[in-house]
């Protein structure tokens, strides 16, 4: 499985060197990669349908419990087949859709990277590796959404999508670490067995909130749904692959995967029912006000994602079976409709549904695909959509006291989804063909064949639902903790109440389609309420954060080093001073333990004090540097007095070198500038005295503490034995703490290079600017 996951990345890497061969007629060969992967995963259908769970384990960071563990069960198999199967058709479609595009190889590279990331996401059995692939899907989708990078709208949409899904990724990481800490493992399989302990943990609520945040942002749930319609600025293959069949269902996958671990509790089920219910109805209503085909499909996609979240929240076997079927239903018909929309846009140059009609006369195969997809989205027999819709109603009717309300909500949503499907799949092909579209012709077969295959699959599986019942659907239900024996997929259950509800849905939906035509006027009317839309509110919040950050930067990051140092020192003085004097820590200085000062020490202290005064009052840099050097040499004499000649020599060398470097560096700078007034210097002086006093008190308190010489004795006893050195200080620096010393040297080297670069920098002035 690891090879299957990495194949997408290897393919992308291969295109870096051989991409030019995939820009022409050979572009279609790219589809062989997802096709081969589809065949590989399809070979496991029989084993998984028999209850076998295929696992593979690779050590990565075993000391932290982070490994590349992969599991192939019914749930991951379903998503793997969708990722590779629809991926194959999208890759083939792209060869014709972007034919001749100068960056076609780059586009395939992004698609390959995304495919590998999605496979890694759905197959990972380790939370940390799952997070890595989760983020890779966000990054690769960013490149795909912003593929038309010359368009400002595409760039903005890509950034917005990355911001929302990236924020969810941060929440996912926090939730994963918290969940791993509670469970004592990052293995999802092991967490299933630890579910009672995890649910009983005081951190359970926080884990659920964090994972919900990740799932809701990725799967475009209210109020984080707004990034998905904007992502429709991407080329049609991206909209098909990412935003209908795969990436947006990553959040759905996450919720299904963790249902056996975290599900069954009121907070889990109720939240999903409420958020899913709001999302599915709110987004379905929005389809009534859209005239762009991609806009209609985007909001209907969000609505179906809400239905899936809603079904997971219901949590019964019927509901989870309905969710599994609906994943297949939606992937087939929505991918078809997106591909059909791409053909319409490619051939007519517009996606405005108000001006599209009669296209069946010039592209009948595309019209057939659109019609089949539309009736599947409507839940008409004999499509698989009919089976899925019936299961949704069966699920809501089993919810006790709330069954009526939930069923009405489901019917209302399905009526609107039917309307959206008919608008996108039937409206452009019926009626009279406009004169300006009379010369429209059929696209190449690589464009119309993929949607036809998907549409026919929706019809065939609807007639023979057993094709996915045992091999796929029951495997999903078992993977999420259910028995999988209560529900059996059938096209016909006889005349019953569920059939009546389906008939009501179809009748209302068809009436709505004929009575309510797409209208620009209605679209403009709804735009007046954008100021209260979640997108605008969140963007305004983001703008507020930006203004606050700008203000904060102007105040604290104003480019003056002295202000940075003053802020840091003030913070330390307040924080450490508070901890010393608030009574939480004992503050005691034993003056009786101090030795008397000698005349030599008093003279040296006087020299250092006068030197510091010279530094503070100096009017030239050279005077300040020399005075600082005097302070350093006085400290050298202190070491000599206390019988530490080696430290004295080291200090002498460092101070001499420092003085020389300062003189060399500062000599190239302008003359002293007076950039602070008298009041500012008084504040700096008070702050310096306070900081110096604080350091003095801390030093005196440290001297009053009992001395523990275990470390000193260890170095003294082992310096020669272990490191073969007689100078203990040198042995500590270059052996026992050699890594620390190496890092310090590296930092100094980098700083020296930076200073050298600044000294050598010569900015060229523009003569025209000087004239101005």
């Amino acid at each position: 499985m690891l090879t299957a996951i990495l194949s997408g990345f290897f393919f992308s890497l291969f295109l870096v060197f051989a991409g030019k061969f995939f820009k022409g007629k050979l572009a279609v060969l790219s589809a062989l990669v997802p096709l081969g992967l589809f065949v590989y995963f399809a070979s496991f259908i029989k084993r998984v349908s028999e209850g076998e769970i295929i696992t593979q384990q690779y050590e990565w960071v075993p000391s932290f419990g982070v490994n590349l563990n992969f599991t192939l069960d019914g749930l991951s198999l379903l998503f793997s087949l969708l990722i590779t199967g629809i991926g194959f058709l999208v890759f083939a479609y792209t060869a014709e859709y972007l034919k001749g595009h100068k960056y076609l190889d780059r586009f395939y590279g992004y698609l390959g990277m995304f495919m590998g990331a999605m496979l890694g996401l759905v197959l990972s059995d380790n939370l940390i590796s799952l997070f890595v692939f989760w983020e890779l899907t966000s990054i690769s989708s960013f490149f795909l959404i912003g593929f038309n990078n010359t368009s400002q709208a595409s760039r903005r949409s890509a950034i917005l999508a990355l911001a929302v899904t990236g924020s969810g990724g941060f929440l996912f990481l926090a939730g994963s670490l918290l969940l791993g800490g509670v469970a004592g493992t990052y293995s999802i399989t092991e967490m299933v067995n630890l579910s009672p302990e995890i649910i009983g943990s005081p951190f359970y609520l926080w884990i659920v909130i964090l994972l919900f945040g990740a799932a809701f942002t990725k799967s475009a749930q209210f109020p984080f749904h707004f990034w998905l319609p904007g992502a429709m600025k991407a080329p049609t293959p991206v909209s098909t692959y990412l935003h209908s069949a795969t990436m947006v269902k990553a959040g759905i996958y996450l919720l299904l995967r963790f249902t056996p671990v975290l599900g069954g509790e009121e907070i889990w089920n109720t939240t999903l029912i409420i958020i899913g219910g709001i999302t599915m109805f709110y987004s379905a209503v929005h389809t009534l006000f859209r005239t762009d085909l991609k806009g209609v499909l985007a909001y209907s996609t969000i609505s179906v994602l809400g239905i899936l979240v809603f079904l997971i929240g219901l949590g019964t076997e019927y509901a989870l079976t309905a969710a599994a079927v609906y994943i297949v239903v939606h992937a087939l018909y929505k991918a078809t409709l997106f591909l059909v929309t791409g053909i319409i846009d490619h051939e007519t140059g517009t996606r405005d549904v108000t001006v599209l009609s009669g296209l069946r006369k010039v592209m009948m195969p595309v019209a057939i695909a659109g019609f089949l997809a539309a009736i599947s989205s409507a839940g008409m027999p004999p499509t698989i959509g009919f089976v899925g819709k019936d299961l949704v109603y069966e699920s809501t009717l089993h919810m006790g006291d709330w069954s009526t309300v939930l069923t009405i909500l489901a019917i209302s949503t399905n009526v609107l989804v039917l309307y959206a499907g008919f608008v996108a799949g039937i409206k452009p092909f019926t009626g009279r063909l406009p004169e300006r579209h009379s010369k429209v012709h059929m696209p190449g077969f690589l464009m119309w064949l993929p949607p036809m295959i998907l549409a026919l699959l929706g019809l065939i599986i609807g007639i023979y639902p057993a094709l996915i019942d045992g091999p796929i659907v029951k495997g999903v239900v078992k993977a999420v903790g259910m028995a999988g024996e209560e529900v059996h997929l059938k096209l016909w259950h006889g005349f019953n109440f569920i059939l009546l509800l389906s008939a009501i849905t179809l009748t209302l939906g068809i009436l709505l389609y004929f009575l309510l035509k797409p209208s620009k006027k209605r679209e403009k009317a709804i735009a007046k309420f954008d100021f209260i839309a979640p997108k605008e509110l969140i963007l305004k919040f983001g703008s507020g954060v930006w203004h606050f950050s700008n203000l904060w930067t102007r105040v604290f990051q104003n480019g003056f080093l002295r202000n940075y140092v003053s802020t840091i020192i003030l913070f330390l003085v307040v924080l450490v001073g508070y901890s010393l004097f608030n009574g939480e820590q004992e503050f005691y200085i034993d003056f009786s333990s101090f030795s008397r000062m000698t005349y030599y020490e008093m003279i040296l202290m006087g020299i250092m004090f006068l030197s510091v005064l010279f530094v503070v009052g100096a009017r030239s840099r050279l005077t300040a540097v020399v005075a600082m050097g005097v302070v350093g040499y006085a400290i050298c004499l202190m070491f000599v007095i206390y019988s530490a000649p080696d430290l004295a020599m080291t200090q002498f060398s460092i101070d001499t070198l420092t003085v020389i470097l300062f003189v060399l560096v500062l000599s190239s700078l302008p003359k002293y500038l007076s950039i602070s007034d008298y009041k500012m210097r008084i504040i700096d002086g008070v702050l310096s005295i306070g900081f110096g006093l604080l350091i003095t008190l801390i030093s005196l308190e440290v001297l009053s503490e009992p001395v523990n010489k275990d470390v000193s004795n260890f170095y003294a006893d082992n310096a020669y034995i272990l490191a073969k050195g007689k100078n203990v200080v040198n042995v500590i620096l270059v052996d026992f703490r050699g890594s620390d010393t190496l890092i310090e040297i590296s930092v100094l080297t980098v700083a020296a290079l930076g200073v050298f670069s600044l000294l050598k920098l010569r900015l060229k002035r523009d003569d025209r600017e000087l004239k101005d």
Side-chain angles (χ1 to χ4, degrees):
M1 282 186 278
L2 180 60
T3 304
I5 294 168
L6 295 179
S7 61
F9 297 100
F10 288 149
F11 172 69
S12 300
L13 183 62
F14 171 73
L15 290 178
V16 174
F17 304 100
K20 63 180 180 179
F21 298 107
F22 288 86
K23 290 185 178 182
K25 295 181 180 180
L26 295 179
V28 70
L29 295 179
S30 302
L32 294 177
V33 177
L35 176 60
L37 293 174
F38 178 79
V39 173
Y40 168 75
F41 285 110
S43 66
F44 292 101
I45 292 178
K46 185 175 185 300
R47 294 168 60 183
V48 172
S49 64
E50 294 173 351
E52 183 178 355
I53 298 177
I54 296 94
T55 60
Q56 290 183 4
Q57 298 181 355
Y58 304 91
E59 286 192 352
W60 188 14
V61 191
S63 58
F64 288 95
V66 180
N67 296 307
L68 292 175
N69 297 341
F70 302 106
T71 298
L72 187 65
D73 57 7
L75 180 60
S76 53
L77 178 62
L78 168 60
F79 277 87
S80 298
L81 291 173
L82 290 178
I83 293 165
T84 55
I86 294 181
F88 161 63
L89 297 176
V90 168
F91 272 61
Y93 180 92
T94 301
E96 182 71 21
Y97 185 82
L98 293 179
K99 184 178 181 180
H101 198 290
K102 63 178 180 178
Y103 295 130
L104 179 58
D105 55 335
R106 182 184 299 178
F107 187 80
Y108 274 125
Y110 296 153
L111 280 180
M113 184 169 64
F114 172 79
M115 181 178 65
M118 275 301 302
L119 286 175
L121 190 156
V122 301
L123 293 171
S124 290
D125 187 47
N126 186 283
L127 266 179
I128 303 303
S129 61
L130 195 157
F131 164 74
V132 172
F133 290 115
W134 181 279
E135 289 297 275
L136 284 174
T137 61
S138 296
I139 294 170
S140 55
S141 68
F142 167 77
F143 290 119
L144 286 166
I145 296 170
F147 179 70
N148 296 322
N149 51 32
T150 57
S151 168
Q152 183 181 8
S154 294
R155 296 195 301 269
R156 287 173 61 89
S157 297
I159 292 172
L160 183 62
L162 182 63
V164 175
T165 58
S167 301
F170 173 76
L171 297 178
F172 184 36
L173 176 61
S176 298
L177 295 176
L178 190 58
L179 179 55
V182 171
T185 179
Y186 290 111
S187 171
I188 301 174
T189 301
E190 294 178 11
M191 288 179 185
V192 174
N193 299 324
L194 298 171
S195 177
E197 290 81 357
I198 296 172
I199 293 176
S201 166
F203 299 104
Y204 171 75
L205 178 60
W206 286 108
I207 293 170
V208 169
I209 291 173
L210 292 171
L211 292 185
F212 277 173
F216 293 165
T217 52
K218 199 79 160 184
S219 288
Q221 296 299 290
F222 182 89
F224 309 108
H225 64 283
F226 54 84
W227 69 266
L228 185 56
M232 294 301 127
K233 297 294 188 297
T236 295
V238 177
S239 303
T240 304
Y241 197 26
L242 277 66
H243 305 136
S244 68
T246 53
M247 191 191 84
V248 291
K249 291 193 176 75
I252 304 300
Y253 170 82
L254 187 70
L255 295 175
L256 286 170
R257 179 59 74 191
F258 281 95
T259 291
V261 180
L262 305 171
E265 296 297 301
E266 184 176 357
I267 183 64
W268 175 275
N269 295 94
T270 304
T271 303
L272 293 181
I273 291 173
I274 293 174
I275 297 297
I278 293 173
T279 302
M280 70 189 202
F281 185 72
Y282 172 86
S283 301
V285 170
H286 266 274
T287 61
L288 301 176
F289 300 91
R290 307 297 155 183
T291 59
D292 182 275
L293 284 175
K294 274 195 173 183
V296 173
L297 294 178
Y299 277 102
S300 65
T301 296
I302 298 170
S303 180
V304 173
L305 293 172
I307 292 174
L308 291 172
V309 172
F310 175 79
L311 292 171
I312 297 171
L314 296 181
T316 63
E317 185 166 328
Y318 268 102
L320 294 173
T321 303
V325 173
Y326 232 88
I327 290 172
V328 178
V329 171
H330 181 252
L332 293 178
Y333 84 72
K334 190 56 64 68
T336 302
L337 291 176
F338 267 114
L339 294 177
V340 167
T341 296
I343 294 172
I344 294 172
D345 188 20
H346 188 273
E347 299 302 324
T348 66
T350 182
R351 297 195 304 263
D352 187 350
V353 72
T354 62
V355 299
L356 291 170
S357 63
L359 292 177
R360 72 187 185 283
K361 297 179 180 179
V362 288
M363 48 178 72
M364 180 57 75
V366 180
I368 293 172
F371 176 79
L372 292 176
I375 64 172
S376 183
S377 71
M380 285 187 178
T383 64
I384 186 61
F386 175 73
V387 178
K389 180 168 64 16
D390 278 9
L391 285 172
V392 172
Y393 295 154
E394 192 76 49
S395 303
T396 57
L397 289 174
H398 282 77
M399 294 307 296
D401 296 338
W402 288 94
S403 60
T404 303
V405 174
L406 297 178
T407 302
I408 292 174
L409 179 62
I411 291 173
S412 303
T413 302
N414 279 325
V415 167
L416 297 173
V417 169
L418 182 154
Y419 171 84
F422 276 33
V423 167
I426 296 178
K427 170 68 170 61
F429 302 101
T430 56
R432 185 177 60 85
L433 181 67
E435 180 63 28
R436 60 176 172 174
H437 294 155
S438 60
K439 295 183 180 180
V440 171
H441 57 79
M442 275 287 294
F445 80 98
L446 285 178
M447 285 185 67
W448 64 262
L449 187 58
M452 181 65 76
I453 292 173
L454 291 170
L456 289 175
L457 280 175
L459 180 63
I460 294 170
I461 297 174
I463 297 172
Y464 304 104
L467 291 173
I468 63 169
D469 187 10
I472 303 297
V473 175
K474 281 187 169 51
V476 173
V477 175
K478 290 177 181 178
V480 296
M482 296 292 177
E485 301 298 333
E486 183 179 348
V487 186
H488 300 280
L489 301 187
K490 291 182 180 180
L491 179 63
W492 180 252
H493 290 272
F495 293 97
N496 52 27
F497 186 62
I498 301 296
L499 182 63
L500 175 62
L501 295 179
S502 295
I504 292 173
T505 303
L506 293 174
T507 302
L508 294 177
I510 294 172
L511 284 175
L512 181 64
Y513 170 71
F514 283 110
L515 295 176
L516 192 66
K517 300 297 182 182
S519 167
K520 290 285 187 181
K521 183 178 180 181
R522 196 162 58 247
E523 189 173 31
K524 292 180 181 178
I526 194 66
K528 296 178 181 179
F529 298 94
D530 283 348
F531 69 96
I532 59 172
K535 177 181 178 179
E536 292 301 319
L537 295 177
I538 292 178
L539 289 179
K540 287 178 181 178
F541 174 76
S543 178
V545 171
W546 185 88
H547 287 297
F548 173 77
S549 301
N550 192 29
L551 175 63
W552 182 275
T553 301
R554 287 201 303 269
V555 174
F556 292 100
Q557 301 288 332
N558 48 26
F560 293 104
L561 181 60
R562 71 177 194 278
N563 288 349
Y564 301 163
V565 175
S566 299
T567 302
I568 294 171
I569 291 176
L570 177 62
F571 178 78
L572 289 175
V573 169
V574 173
L575 183 64
V576 179
Y578 174 78
S579 64
L580 286 176
F581 297 105
N582 69 346
E584 294 181 3
Q585 297 182 0
E586 184 178 354
F587 181 72
Y588 171 73
I589 300 176
D590 184 10
F591 291 98
S592 63
S593 64
F594 300 158
S595 59
R596 293 183 178 181
M597 290 186 64
T598 63
Y599 292 108
Y600 306 108
E601 294 169 339
M602 294 179 64
I603 292 172
L604 290 176
M605 289 294 293
I607 293 173
M608 284 191 286
F609 180 74
L610 292 174
S611 299
V612 171
L613 292 180
F614 266 100
V615 173
V616 174
R619 291 295 180 182
S620 71
R621 294 189 180 89
L622 183 61
T623 304
V625 170
V626 172
M628 286 295 295
V630 172
V631 175
Y633 293 140
I635 294 175
C636 293
L637 293 176
M638 282 285 191
F639 288 141
V640 172
I641 292 173
Y642 284 102
S643 303
D646 52 346
L647 292 179
M649 290 301 298
T650 303
Q651 182 70 23
F652 176 79
S653 302
I654 293 174
D655 268 296
T656 302
L657 180 61
T658 303
V659 170
I660 294 173
L661 289 175
F662 267 120
V663 170
L664 290 174
V665 172
L666 298 180
S667 63
S668 301
L669 296 178
K671 294 181 179 180
Y672 252 13
L673 298 176
S674 180
I675 54 177
S676 60
D677 56 16
Y678 182 74
K679 294 181 181 179
M680 181 61 69
R681 287 194 288 273
I682 291 178
I683 294 174
D684 291 342
V686 172
L687 185 59
S688 302
I689 293 171
F691 185 69
L693 179 63
L694 181 65
I695 297 299
T696 302
L697 292 175
I698 293 175
S699 302
L700 293 175
E701 186 178 10
V702 169
L703 291 174
S704 302
E705 293 292 322
V707 179
N708 188 334
K709 296 186 176 182
D710 291 344
V711 177
S712 302
N713 292 334
F714 171 81
Y715 287 139
D717 295 339
N718 293 281
Y720 184 76
I721 297 173
L722 298 179
K724 310 304 179 184
K726 294 182 179 180
N727 188 313
V728 178
V729 175
N730 289 345
V731 168
I732 293 173
L733 291 175
V734 302
D735 197 304
F736 290 116
R737 296 184 59 190
S739 298
D740 185 34
T741 305
L742 177 63
I743 293 173
E744 291 176 354
I745 294 172
S746 302
V747 171
L748 290 174
T749 303
V750 172
L753 290 173
V755 172
F756 178 76
S757 301
L758 290 174
L759 290 175
K760 300 294 289 184
L761 181 64
R762 294 292 184 268
L763 297 177
K764 295 182 180 180
R765 296 184 178 180
D766 193 331
D767 293 336
R768 290 173 298 178
E769 292 182 1
L770 293 176
K771 291 178 182 179
D772 293 339

